[in-house]
Amino acid sequence: MINRMAKPLRILAAAELWQGSNAYAYVRAFRRLGHSLRVVPPENYVPGAWHSKRLRVLRRTMEAGFIREYTRALIAEAKQLRPHIFFVFKGRYVTAEAIKAIRGLGATAINFYPDVSFMAHGKYIPRALPVYDWVFTTKTFGVTDLEKVLGVHTASFLPHSYDPETHFPVELDDEDKAAYECDVSFVGTWSPKKQNLIEEIADQLPSIRLRIWGGQWESARPSLGLNIEGRGVFGLEYSKALLASKVNLCILSEARRGASSGDLITSRTFHIPATGAFMLHERSAELVNYFGEGTECGCFETGAELVEKIVYYLERPEERKAVAAAGRHRALSSGYSVDCRATEILKKIAELRGVRAETVQAG
């Protein structure tokens, strides 16, 4: 049962709109909770799908102009909508100027920041984050990083979630199985650490069917070539790929510039179990707060243990299915959905708007 607020709020959102994105999941969650949303997606102003060298050069040359246009569009929309909330998911191209102008119209400005580092995704984010009324970070260490690196004290931890419209047990037909079936899969962006761990699987277990989905894997060494699909999987196709794989890897991202730690949990921590797929997750101190090792997911620490656990679970299909079922039950029963996270955001906004209203009245 969705808990709707008594009074619908007007929300202006800077968020992507492609099916399967975590940003779009929040847009739909706020709508399910009964609120009015107007979305101004960054991809309408700053092209992100240009791959040719010539077009990438053109994008860099014109980026400042694109972002000025995006800033104008956000402010113009805010003047018409008069939003209660300005909700920004990450906000790579949302400028401090836009935030100040929209706050000046009476909106409470919120940033939901999903990544490891606040310093590794362009120059606009570090300038903008101190201007928001509140920043939600999906990293426990992110609160301290925000304070130390950017002087932001108005922040709190809010973990990732699963999207009930996307991450659920999709029934697979023969075509889906042909497209996605494998023994072991990884869905995610390339990094050196991920490559090293997956190479160990390929080296030690050459007979298994291993598939890699996601971006930037052209950076990988040739040894992984046959296992790389060369594209991402999105929306329900993502859930199909998880369900068609016997073992789904959750490898955590390493630390990046400006971050005090690498990932301890990630969005896949919640996506994989919610679909009913089996998850083999890199062990971390935080994972145990959400899923039990050996009962609701499998865990590994080193490359050698990763290979050992893959062999163990591939040989035990019934145990694998039981763990996957328990993981899904835990996700659904413990409040890990995006609707629950959106409700937490709205509670903080109600608190902030109350404080701001009292401050204005007292002045």
Side-chain angles (χ1 to χ4, degrees), residues 140-192:
T140 49
F141 55 87
V143 177
T144 303
D145 286 357
L146 276 167
E147 185 175 343
K148 288 184 176 178
V149 177
L150 297 175
V152 174
H153 301 278
T154 49
S156 59
F157 166 66
L158 186 67
H160 273 296
S161 57
Y162 72 88
D163 177 2
E165 290 189 30
T166 302
H167 309 123
F168 62 90
V170 184
E171 188 170 344
L172 304 179
D173 60 23
D174 290 341
E175 187 177 354
D176 296 326
K177 292 174 183 177
Y180 299 122
E181 261 188 344
C182 60
D183 296 308
V184 178
S185 73
F186 176 74
V187 182
T189 303
W190 172 88
S191 76

Side-chain angles (χ1 to χ4, degrees), residues 251-284:
I251 303 173
L252 299 171
S253 295
E254 53 267 65
R256 300 190 65 180
R257 179 176 62 87
S260 60
S261 172
D263 264 335
L264 299 172
I265 55 172
T266 186
S267 59
R268 285 180 294 277
T269 304
F270 304 98
H271 295 173
I272 297 171
T275 64
F278 175 78
M279 176 171 70
L280 184 53
H281 197 291
E282 185 174 351
R283 191 177 290 112
S284 76

Side-chain angles (χ1 to χ4, degrees), residues 180-187 194 197-202 205-213 224 226-229 241-251 272 278-281 300 306-315 320:
Y180 299 122
E181 261 188 344
C182 60
D183 296 308
V184 178
S185 73
F186 176 74
V187 182
K194 295 167 188 173
L197 285 168
I198 294 173
E199 278 186 330
E200 188 146 0
I201 300 169
L205 303 173
S207 63
I208 69 164
R209 179 73 163 112
L210 171 65
R211 304 182 82 165
I212 303 165
W213 309 91
L224 287 178
L226 294 177
N227 303 295
I228 297 170
E229 298 297 329
L242 297 177
L243 288 159
S245 176
K246 295 174 184 175
V247 174
N248 292 278
L249 304 180
C250 190
I251 303 173
I272 297 171
F278 175 78
M279 176 171 70
L280 184 53
H281 197 291
F300 71 93
L306 172 59
V307 170
E308 177 188 321
K309 288 294 180 66
I310 287 171
V311 172
Y312 177 90
Y313 283 112
L314 287 179
E315 291 176 348
R320 214 171 55 234

